[in-house]
Each structure stands twice: as structure tokens, then as C-alpha cells.
């Protein structure tokens, strides 16, 4: 049938376009200190991803003047629409921030509420058919702190952060995975050899994520080919 032939051709074309689309990493940076360690982390991750022939873009929330204040009862503003479009277009969302008082900076929490939550409604909570707008995406966090990880663990802050932010957001928004890499004891004057060690871990994390995304695409392509 001509109609079926056309539909088949369009389907194949769509699969080819998806296979050709460059895998994208969206890096959301929340640190007001220009040239900080977290800026180095974001740039290192971006540069490593590009060496893997994938795309990476940094959204420096402070440099953008992002407003973290949630306005209730108002439709999403233009800045939210831009950020939300970038999230939908990416394959992995990467948060980079310092841990302050046991939690992410307010600008990161504001990004979660205004951007990730823009298409989410409280009535959706607890429903069997709750939306999962980011179910095909991965979620990675690269955080730092001036204190050590054992210090954070002793006070329950690390577990609280992982449960209340990483795991909860992954479950709520439907991310397919949520991973967290933390860099401890980063203070002003930290020796360069230690900083280089930490940035090497950033490179490893970026390469691992790139490999995972590439493997998933290859597996999906092989499965699709087997069904034809």
C-alpha cells in the first residue's frame, strides 16, 4: 500500500535523524565566584565531552542573571521557556555546585522549581499515571565542599542531600538514573596537585557518561534493526 510505504519511509528517516543527532550534555552551574573550582569542573566536563564527539553546553546561572524566585499563578516566563527547551533537548542534565549549609545554593533550587517544575503540578503527585517529563534522560551531579565527606556523613548531611535532592528529583521527574560525584576538602589555597587529581575524576566521569550514552544508542539501534 502506498500509504504504508510512505509511513515506513518516514519512520526510517526519523530513526536515521535520531541516530545522526549528536548526544547532548547540559551543564547547569551554580556558583557566583568566577574562576572557582566549580567553574573549573564545569569547563573540564564540557571540554572532555567534546573530545568524545558529543555536545556540551554550560548554563552559568549567576552569569545569566537567572532569577530563582518562583512566581505562583503565572505562566512560565521567557527565560524559563529557554532553559526548559535546553533540558528537553539534552540527553544528560549535569548540576555543578558547592554544598552550602548542607544543601545546594538557592539558585540551583530555584532552577529546579522554576525550570524542571514548569510542567509539573502538585495534583500529579501520587497518581498512578504521574508524568515523567525527563524519563529518558540521565541526571548527574558534580558537587564540592570545604569540609570532608566523613564530616558531612557524621552530621547526616550527605545522606539527606542524596535522598532529598538526587533520589527524590530522579523519582519525581522520571530521570532514568541519578549519579553524584563529590569533591571534598576544596578550599582557597588548596594545592594544585590535589585540584588536578579532582579534575581527572571529572574527566573520568564525563568519559563514562559519554560511553554510557553511546552504548545505549548503539543498543537501541541494534534492537530496532532486529525488529525490521
Amino acid at each position: 500500500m502506498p500509504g504504508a510505504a510512505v509511513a515506513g519511509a518516514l519512520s526510517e528517516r526519523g530513526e536515521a535523524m535520531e541516530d545522526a543527532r549528536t548526544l547532548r550534555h547540559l551543564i547547569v552551574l551554580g556558583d557566583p565566584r568566577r574562576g572557582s573550582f566549580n567553574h573549573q569542573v564545569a569547563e573540564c566536563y564540557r571540554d572532555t565531552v567534546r573530545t568524545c564527539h558529543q555536545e556540551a553546553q554550560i548554563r552559568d546561572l549567576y552569569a545569566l542573571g537567572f532569577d530563582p524566585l518562583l512566581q505562583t499563578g503565572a505562566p512560565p516566563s521567557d527565560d524559563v521557556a529557554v532553559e526548559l527547551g535546553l533540558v528537553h533537548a539534552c540527553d544528560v542534565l549535569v548540576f555543578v555546585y558547592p554544598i552550602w549549609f548542607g544543601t545546594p545554593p538557592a539558585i540551583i533550587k530555584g532552577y529546579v522549581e522554576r525550570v524542571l517544575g514548569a510542567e509539573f503540578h502538585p495534583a500529579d503527585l501520587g497518581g498512578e499515571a504521574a508524568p515523567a517529563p525527563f524519563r529518558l534522560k540521565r541526571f548527574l551531579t558534580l558537587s564540592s565542599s570545604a569540609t570532608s565527606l566523613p564530616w558531612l556523613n557524621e552530621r547526616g548531611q550527605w545522606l539527606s542531600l542524596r535522598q532529598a535532592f538526587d533520589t527524590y528529583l530522579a523519582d519525581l521527574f522520571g530521570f532514568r538514573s541519578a549519579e553524584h560525584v563529590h569533591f571534598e576538602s576544596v578550599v582557597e589555597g588548596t594545592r594544585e596537585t590535589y585540584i588536578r587529581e579532582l579534575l581527572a575524576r571529572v574527566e573520568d566521569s564525563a568519559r563514562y557518561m559519554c560511553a554510557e550514552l553511546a552504548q545505549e544508542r548503539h543498543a537501541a539501534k541494534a534492537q530496532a534493526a532486529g525488529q525490521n
Side-chain angles (χ1 to χ4, degrees):
M1 296 174 62
V6 171
L10 290 174
S11 176
E12 292 178 1
R13 180 182 179 186
E15 291 174 0
M17 291 176 63
E18 174 62 21
D19 186 57
R21 182 182 67 81
T22 304
L23 293 165
R24 298 186 179 98
H25 302 239
L26 182 65
I27 306 161
V28 178
L29 171 62
D31 191 327
R33 302 164 296 179
R34 293 186 179 276
S36 70
F37 171 73
N38 291 291
H39 282 76
Q40 294 182 62
V41 168
E43 292 165 2
C44 179
Y45 186 96
R46 177 199 61 196
D47 295 345
T48 305
V49 166
R50 290 175 177 175
T51 66
C52 296
H53 307 290
Q54 297 182 16
E55 288 185 7
Q57 178 180 8
I58 297 175
R59 301 298 286 175
D60 184 339
L61 298 184
Y62 283 97
L64 291 169
F66 180 80
D67 181 3
L69 298 181
L70 179 66
Q71 304 295 333
T72 59
S77 57
D78 291 343
D79 65 329
V80 168
V82 169
E83 299 304 323
L84 187 60
L86 292 173
V87 175
H88 279 303
C90 77
D91 298 281
V92 54
L93 176 64
V94 184
F95 277 177
V96 180
Y97 59 78
I99 294 177
W100 288 342
F101 302 103
T103 65
I107 203 165
I108 290 289
K109 294 194 284 285
Y111 182 94
V112 170
E113 294 170 1
R114 293 192 64 220
V115 178
L116 301 189
E119 299 175 334
F120 199 90
H121 303 90
D124 296 327
L125 288 171
E128 294 182 0
F134 311 122
R135 64 184 181 85
L136 298 179
K137 305 182 188 303
R138 288 177 174 268
F139 179 38
L140 170 65
T141 297
L142 304 173
S143 65
S144 66
S145 66
T147 58
S148 67
L149 192 55
W151 190 92
L152 292 172
N153 274 321
E154 288 173 4
R155 289 151 181 80
Q157 292 179 326
W158 179 245
L159 181 60
S160 297
L161 177 64
R162 292 285 284 130
Q163 291 181 335
F165 210 71
D166 302 340
T167 303
Y168 181 75
L169 293 184
D171 290 343
L172 185 66
F173 296 116
F175 287 103
R176 65 183 305 173
S177 67
E179 301 178 45
H180 195 138
V181 179
H182 182 66
F183 308 104
E184 60 181 324
S185 304
V186 179
V187 296
E188 187 175 352
T190 298
R191 70 183 191 279
E192 284 300 315
T193 53
Y194 181 56
I195 296 298
R196 287 197 295 270
E197 290 173 7
L198 299 184
L199 294 179
R201 289 177 56 198
V202 175
E203 293 176 355
D204 290 342
S205 298
R207 291 194 185 97
Y208 171 80
M209 187 60 70
C210 288
E212 287 289 295
L213 294 177
Q215 176 61 30
E216 288 172 359
R217 171 170 287 186
H218 177 75
K221 182 180 178 182
Q223 182 179 10
Q227 294 175 349
N228 293 334

